[in-house]
Each structure stands twice: as structure tokens, then as C-alpha cells.
């Protein structure tokens, strides 16, 4: 009886599984830029919050649904851009969110869950800035939002945040000062998906 229940559940899950592609735009910024001193060792701290810019993401998703609740794992390439006063910061990463969702009204749904991130590259453009690798290549954040499914086409709006800092260290050659940069993402994500 137990085996029959398990096989029936697996069959139902397979019937309610979908796979597809997705992509879109993200709008946000990384964390605070903090200068921590100059080459002579004198301390002269200054702080600056980055300004949000538009980036993009693209990848694959799967969705497994049972009784109105679904699990949606994704694998995405994401580029996040941030503008500081003297340079632009670009962060490239692989995102693997695992979201749990609930169909609430017709085609509308809500979803939330952890987002695992692997940092591929971080670099500065302009301003004589040299940045080292981030402190942790793998981090965990979160995503939450809402979606609309119209047949095979889906639209999502989510917010992504991080649980802890992920510092990158660097040198501003123009000002001869060392600095730290909090590479945590804080962004809005707008996606379009298509189930195959």
C-alpha cells in the first residue's frame, strides 16, 4: 500500500512538472564602498553607497507542482552593475534559487526561498581602481516575489537580498588609498519565462 502511494505520488509529480528558459532585467546595487586609509598608513575613513543600475540575467528553470504548491529551482547567469562616484562595479555570478510557491488566485502566485550564489567575476571600470577577489565565492541570499502565468508564458517580479556581508578589498591607485567594498546584492528582478 505504501509503495502504491509513493509511485502514485511520483507519477502525479511527473505529470505536473515543467521545464523552461527565462531571462530579464535586474535593477539594484551592491553595498557600501569604504576607504580605510592611504598608502602612508594614515586613517581617513569615508563611506559611499552605490547607485543602482540595470543588469541582466538568463538561464533555466524547473517547476514541480502538487495541490497548488510548487517548488521552483533555477540556474541563472546574472550580471549586477553598481555606480560609485569614481568608478562602476560589475559583479557576475551564477544564481541557483530554490523557491517554494503558492498559487493564490487564477494565474497569480507568490514565491520565496533561498538563493545560492557563486561569484564568477568582480571588476571595476574607471577611476584607477584595482579590486581583489571577494571574501567568499559562494554565498546564500534570499528571493521573494510574485508571478503571473499565462499558459506557457510567465512573468515574475522579485526582490533579492543577502544574509551577510561579502567583502572585496582593493586599492584606489589615483587617490593612493585602500578600500573595502560590500559585494552583497540588493536588487529587483523582472523576468520573462517560457515553459518548453
Amino acid at each position: 500500500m505504501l509503495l502504491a502511494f509513493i509511485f502514485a505520488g511520483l507519477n502525479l509529480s511527473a505529470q505536473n512538472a515543467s521545464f523552461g528558459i527565462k531571462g530579464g532585467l535586474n535593477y539594484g546595487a551592491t553595498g557600501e564602498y569604504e576607504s580605510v586609509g592611504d598608502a602612508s598608513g594614515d586613517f581617513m575613513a569615508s563611506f559611499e553607497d552605490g547607485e543602482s543600475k540595470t543588469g541582466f540575467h538568463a538561464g533555466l528553470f524547473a517547476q514541480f507542482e502538487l495541490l497548488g504548491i510548487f517548488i521552483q529551482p533555477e540556474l541563472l547567469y546574472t550580471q549586477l552593475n553598481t555606480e560609485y562616484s569614481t568608478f562602476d562595479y560589475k559583479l557576475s555570478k551564477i544564481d541557483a534559487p530554490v523557491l517554494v510557491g503558492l498559487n493564490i488566485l487564477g494565474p497569480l502566485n507568490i514565491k520565496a526561498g533561498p538563493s545560492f550564489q557563486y561569484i564568477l567575476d568582480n571588476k571595476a571600470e574607471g577611476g584607477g581602481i584595482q579590486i581583489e577577489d571577494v571574501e567568499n565565492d559562494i554565498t546564500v541570499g534570499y528571493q521573494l516575489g510574485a508571478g503571473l502565468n499565462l499558459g506557457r508564458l510567465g512573468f515574475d517580479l522579485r526582490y533579492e537580498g543577502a544574509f551577510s556581508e561579502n567583502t572585496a578589498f582593493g586599492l584606489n591607485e589615483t587617490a593612493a588609498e585602500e578600500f573595502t567594498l560590500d559585494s552583497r546584492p540588493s536588487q529587483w528582478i523582472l523576468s520573462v519565462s517560457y515553459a518548453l
Side-chain angles (χ1 to χ4, degrees):
M1 192 171 176
L2 181 60
L3 287 174
F5 178 74
I6 291 171
F7 284 120
L10 289 174
N11 187 39
L12 185 60
S13 295
Q15 289 176 357
N16 291 308
S18 60
F19 304 88
I21 56 174
K22 67 178 302 181
L25 300 175
N26 32 286
Y27 182 76
T30 50
E32 190 174 66
Y33 170 90
E34 177 185 355
S35 66
V36 293
D38 61 19
S40 67
D42 294 333
F43 184 75
M44 45 180 217
S46 63
F47 306 92
E48 180 186 354
D49 288 326
E51 291 188 26
S52 296
K53 291 185 73 175
T54 303
F56 67 91
H57 61 277
L60 308 169
F61 76 92
Q63 190 178 92
F64 307 95
E65 185 175 344
L66 181 62
L67 301 176
I69 298 174
F70 59 85
I71 296 175
Q72 184 170 317
E74 301 176 352
L75 188 62
L76 306 164
Y77 172 81
T78 301
Q79 184 171 297
L80 177 64
N81 301 316
T82 306
E83 182 178 351
Y84 294 93
S85 58
T86 58
F87 67 98
D88 286 348
Y89 179 60
K90 292 193 173 183
L91 181 71
S92 300
K93 58 189 180 124
I94 297 293
D95 284 326
V98 181
L99 307 174
V100 176
L102 177 65
N103 295 315
I104 54 173
L105 181 63
L108 294 174
N109 62 70
I110 55 174
K111 59 192 82 171
S115 178
F116 303 92
Q117 302 160 11
Y118 176 70
I119 308 296
L120 296 172
D121 190 31
N122 68 320
K123 60 185 177 183
E125 293 185 350
I129 300 290
Q130 285 190 350
I131 295 182
E132 297 176 7
D133 291 337
V134 293
E135 190 174 14
N136 299 304
D137 287 336
I138 299 174
T139 60
V140 180
Y142 62 90
Q143 291 186 6
L144 51 94
L148 174 69
N149 290 329
L150 302 173
R152 291 182 177 271
L153 203 58
F155 301 91
D156 268 0
L157 179 62
R158 302 181 199 164
Y159 175 77
E160 180 184 64
F163 291 121
S164 60
E165 289 188 10
N166 193 18
T167 304
F169 298 91
L171 174 67
N172 184 336
E173 295 176 332
T174 305
E177 66 183 15
E178 297 175 347
F179 67 87
T180 62
L181 182 65
D182 182 4
S183 67
R184 281 183 295 182
S186 175
Q187 63 178 341
W188 288 97
I189 303 168
L190 178 62
S191 301
V192 179
S193 62
Y194 184 78
L196 301 174

